[in-house]
Amino acid sequence: MDNFIQEFKKRVSRRQIKIAVVGLGYVGLPLALEFAKKGFFVLGIEIDKNRVDCIRKKKSYITDISDKELREVLARGRFRCIDNFNIVKEADVIIICVPTPLKRKYYPNISYIKQAVRSIASHIKRKALVVLESTTYPGTTEEEILPLLEREGRRHNRDFYLSFSPERIDPGNKAYPVNKISKVVGGVSPEATKLTELVYKNIVSRVVPVSSARVAEAVKLLENTFRLVNIGLIDELAMMAHKMDIDIWEVIEAAKTKPFGFMPFYPGPGVGGHCIPKDPLYLYWKAKKFGFRSRFIKLSSNVITAMPAYIVERLAHILDKQGKKLNKSKVLVIGATYKKDIKDLRQSPALDIIEILQKSQCRVSYYDPLIPYLKLDHINLKSIDLNSKNLSAFDCVVIATDHSAVDYNFVLKNSRLIFDTRNIFKNTRDRKVVKL
Ligand code: SAJ
């Protein structure tokens, strides 16, 4: 075994190993490009033909990757993308970065992971290393993935190696690109951990080996559950502070001066994205199998899920104080995506707010510089032109996402009333601005 690890180490240092990345989304594509930039041959496998087409046209579909960066990596000839799994047999390392959605609230859906593993299982070359990056509940790698690979006589630690390494991409965070984010790795065996370490140490500043795949899976869920619980907490405290006529934003700013033992979270219209609203519910589901019901996860999830309705309730009250009824008002929602400067609508609370307003017979429009159209199940709207005539026609403007590319002074000047759920107008004392 040591001979193989030593041999593998040499081949890694000589860039003689090929890496396949399955799933080129916001996790897989940056990862694939990072390995290619470090001189590895990378085979990107993506079943979405539009994405394959974009890459072939050197067009990035990921906010954090520019066309230029994609073009430069492709020009080096160390990265290619295809839409089938046949090339897996060339790969020494196969990294799976496919989505892990929910079937419904609290019910994980690991069918994409299983599908990807089944697609590679019959192609993997002898002693290949398989790494799962998709966020999932503790036990997935060992209990679900290992058996799928140990078929047809294959044995772990002889014919292949398997580990888990959680992705930690923070979309839109320029301070922390892939190579600046430490990486946790946990193998089904110590050898698998070691091999995974040898691969990732080439692209990140620090690799953190842990004792097993399930510990690595749990690390990621702790990270995201930590965020869910704290965002749920601050959302609840925001509702409490409003009742008590206390400015929660001022409270947070002052609490931030504590140099230890405090980390600021900010209230908002709800929690979107593909991670925070969902990943902790994977942990909830698995823990329940052990007879443990996490009250924190359930409560936090319920608080954040109720935020869009709370926002509309507050809006109705704000309009009522102006002698207006919600179902007779025109409301503009500024920002449709789940967080600022990210072109991603997944689980966006702004969309929930728009839907609730529509159901309340309110005439609702939206403006988002990144999203020209909303063509969804229940919403079919075009982003309005943000001009003074349009702005002044609305009874209230709701700031739901705090995109940088909006002229908020122009919005302030031309709006009759603003409900600011993101504290964009923190330094404004204008009576027409009402804060969450
Ligand atoms: N939000 C708040 N208040 C806060 C922070 C966030 O309301 O104080 C909202 C945001 O507006 C957004 C949602 O929560 O709607 C999620 O924001 P996020 O930045 O926590 O989550 P993601 O999904 O964009 O990225 C996160 C990563 N972000 C950070 O750690 C800052 C990280 O948790 C994971 O690496 C990543 O999800 C993932 O892929 O799991």
Side-chain angles (χ1 to χ4, degrees), residues 26 135 167-171 220 224 227 231 265-268 270-276 279 338-339 349 422:
Y26 83 95
T135 305
E167 53 87 4
R168 271 181 170 166
I169 300 284
D170 182 19
K220 176 66 183 177
N224 281 8
R227 292 188 68 72
I231 297 168
F265 284 85
Y266 300 95
V271 170
H274 32 275
C275 310
I276 310 305
D279 296 346
Y338 83 91
K339 79 173 181 180
R422 295 290 192 173

Side-chain angles (χ1 to χ4, degrees), residues 368-396:
D368 188 310
L370 304 180
I371 309 285
Y373 297 95
L374 285 176
K375 284 192 183 314
L376 307 163
D377 294 350
H378 308 293
I379 302 173
N380 188 358
L381 292 171
K382 182 178 176 300
S383 178
I384 68 158
D385 291 332
L386 201 67
N387 57 49
S388 52
K389 179 171 175 284
N390 286 343
L391 270 171
S392 59
F394 289 98
D395 297 299
C396 188

Side-chain angles (χ1 to χ4, degrees), residues 72-336:
E72 285 170 356
V73 174
L74 288 167
R76 294 184 193 169
R78 288 184 173 273
F79 170 60
R80 64 192 173 99
C81 167
I82 70 164
D83 60 4
N84 68 67
F85 288 83
N86 299 334
I87 55 168
V88 164
K89 54 182 172 298
E90 299 173 30
D92 303 282
V93 180
I94 303 144
I95 304 175
I96 299 172
C97 306
V98 296
T100 45
L102 291 173
K103 280 182 199 141
R104 58 181 187 281
K105 192 160 185 180
Y106 296 108
Y107 286 86
N109 172 3
I110 61 168
S111 63
Y112 295 95
I113 297 180
K114 287 185 164 180
Q115 186 50 47
V117 174
R118 287 192 190 99
S119 301
I120 68 169
S122 48
H123 298 294
I124 52 174
K125 73 194 267 192
R126 193 157 148 62
K127 291 194 170 296
L129 170 64
V130 179
V131 185
L132 177 61
E133 288 222 356
S134 307
T135 305
T136 183
Y137 54 79
T140 304
T141 304
E142 290 155 8
E143 299 160 16
E144 307 278 350
I145 310 309
L146 183 58
L148 289 178
L149 291 171
E150 281 198 323
R151 287 189 178 157
E152 296 155 13
R154 277 188 297 273
R155 284 256 316 282
H156 184 261
N157 250 32
R158 185 190 69 188
D159 303 311
F160 68 92
Y161 301 90
L162 176 61
S163 67
F164 183 83
S165 179
E167 53 87 4
R168 271 181 170 166
I169 300 284
D170 182 19
N173 190 335
K174 301 277 181 249
Y176 289 99
V178 173
N179 60 0
K180 288 210 167 58
I181 305 170
S182 51
K183 203 91 170 60
V184 171
V185 298
V188 171
S189 67
E191 294 81 1
T193 306
K194 186 67 193 162
L195 293 172
T196 313
E197 248 189 292
L198 290 172
V199 173
Y200 280 102
K201 67 191 287 191
N202 297 283
I203 63 160
V204 295
S205 51
R206 184 182 171 212
V207 176
V208 182
V210 292
S211 60
S212 69
R214 63 196 293 117
V215 166
E217 288 158 338
V219 166
K220 176 66 183 177
L221 291 176
L222 169 59
E223 290 168 13
N224 281 8
T225 303
F226 165 78
R227 292 188 68 72
L228 174 77
V229 169
N230 280 287
I231 297 168
L233 170 66
I234 200 65
D235 280 348
E236 182 175 85
L237 290 180
M239 293 188 273
M240 180 197 295
H242 172 66
K243 283 279 186 204
M244 299 169 73
D245 195 20
I246 295 172
D247 181 337
I248 189 66
W249 303 98
E250 183 185 5
V251 170
I252 295 165
E253 285 310 305
K256 273 166 67 174
T257 61
K258 183 182 179 192
F260 51 84
F262 180 77
M263 174 180 181
F265 284 85
Y266 300 95
V271 170
H274 32 275
C275 310
I276 310 305
K278 172 222 12 122
D279 296 346
L281 305 189
Y282 268 63
L283 181 59
Y284 180 89
W285 176 84
K286 186 66 177 181
K288 216 170 81 175
K289 296 275 178 198
F290 289 83
F292 188 93
R293 287 174 187 268
S294 164
R295 288 163 295 170
F296 271 103
I297 293 175
K298 189 157 190 128
L299 171 63
S300 308
S301 180
N302 290 344
V303 168
I304 63 154
T305 308
M307 283 312 282
Y310 172 75
I311 295 298
V312 174
E313 187 191 307
R314 283 282 306 274
L315 174 63
H317 186 66
I318 292 163
L319 286 167
D320 198 45
K321 282 171 77 175
Q322 309 271 327
K324 295 197 173 88
K325 290 293 169 224
L326 189 62
N327 62 359
K328 301 268 187 259
S329 298
K330 281 184 69 177
V331 171
L332 173 67
V333 174
I334 292 186

